Amino acid sequence: MHLIDLITRKRDGGRITVSEWREFTEGVALARYPEYQLSALLMAIFFRGLDGEETYALMDGMLRSGGRLDFSGLGRPVVDKHSTGGVGDKVSIPLAPMVAACGVAVPMMSGRGLGHTGGTLDKLESIPGFNTRLSMAEAKAQVERLGCALIGQTGEIAPADKTLYALRDATATVEAIPLIAASIMSKKLAEGLGGLVLDVKTGAGAFMPQLERALTLATTMVDIGERCGCPTVALMTCMDHPLGVACGNAVEIEESIDILRGGGPADTREVTLALGAEMLVLARVADDIGAARSMLEDTITTGRALEKLRQIIEAQGGDPRVVDDPQGVLPRAPEQLLVVASQAGIVQRVEPRVLGRGIIALGGGRTTMEDTVDPSVGFRVLVRPGAHVSRGTPLASVLARDAAGIAAGEACVREAVSIGDAEVTVPPLISHRVTGAGTEAL
Ligand code: URA
């Protein structure tokens, strides 16, 4: 097979066959093709798209290019969750131990922050000693022992996707729905799952801001999961403002522990319970969503979920005392400032992208994968769109390493939080549920 033929055909609107995708992805993993040809093919796909069969074949080829976790014989259902990411999205951290405490195995594989979106791995690594770089064999052994591992993508998983994703990043071809869907699902399905729940964000801070495109992404991923024999459900959740109060790394671990103690912000708790309930139903340990929610709430009231998190942290080399005394164990920013409203009115917007870029300015995020992250910095965002404020009402606190960070952080809060007179319509926290059977507005 000559790659030039596939490029030409795709450029002219033709189809690539299942066997050609297989050969192509094998070749990508073996570094057989020059990057200029791969880039040309990616751009042709960006403009011409892929149909359902091509998207599945690309995903399948990328999945087969690497290793897979095998949990057959585990004797427990294996389910995971994936979020398309945003600002303040720490849901994986309380969710994984809650679901694992219900007897479901959760091999949770997460990513790092990049651009305005945060990453679960960076958040976890703010716990002193916590190691997210487990091999597949280590992750498997931990899931067998504790029911959960919180890890990063190893080089063993979907190496063809790794090559293509890096090229997409450098060639402005990331935002193609079939490429995104195939990329995400090739990594998730390598976890050997019996079910998958997707949290597809929509709104200003989402990877895919428009609802229509986010719904298409959700449907494409659900179709891939179902076709692969992995029952998949997607919830469309709001990223028009940050999720919860804490935005940063250590500060989000603290909020995650609050959730497991029965506190935390209502929106974060609700998204965690909604996604967790779908996971328990897919795992068939609960008959319906109501029963699943009760089981999850019980893991909090009995302390079993917090205990599970402690075990996971200890197993992965972290300091388990963090669950009892987060403020004493987590790195703390030396400087803090409470930013207050300079006028009375109604909060119109709390812009997640502005706050996400603010975290980068404070040193807590990345513009390239090589950047290092200061775990201690970030924001506590204290208002939501629609809130009525007076002059002097606290809007957010800035956590920074020095006076320059405080100044940058304050400017960012003032840009992100707009106050006006108009009444505000707040979008629903969870707007749609997408399954193999179709899309339901909630
Ligand atoms: N995340 C991924 O893993 N792949 C994409 O293509 C986009 C987001």
Side-chain angles (χ1 to χ4, degrees), residues 165 168 179-180 183-184 187 207:
Y165 194 15
R168 286 165 57 210
L179 293 178
I180 300 169
S183 166
I184 291 174
K187 289 173 286 208
F207 183 54

Side-chain angles (χ1 to χ4, degrees), residues 110-122:
S110 306
R112 295 193 178 276
L114 187 62
H116 77 281
T117 60
T120 299
L121 296 182
D122 298 319

Side-chain angles (χ1 to χ4, degrees), residues 78-89:
V78 185
V79 176
D80 195 9
K81 184 259 335 180
H82 175 82
S83 159
T84 56
V87 179
D89 180 8

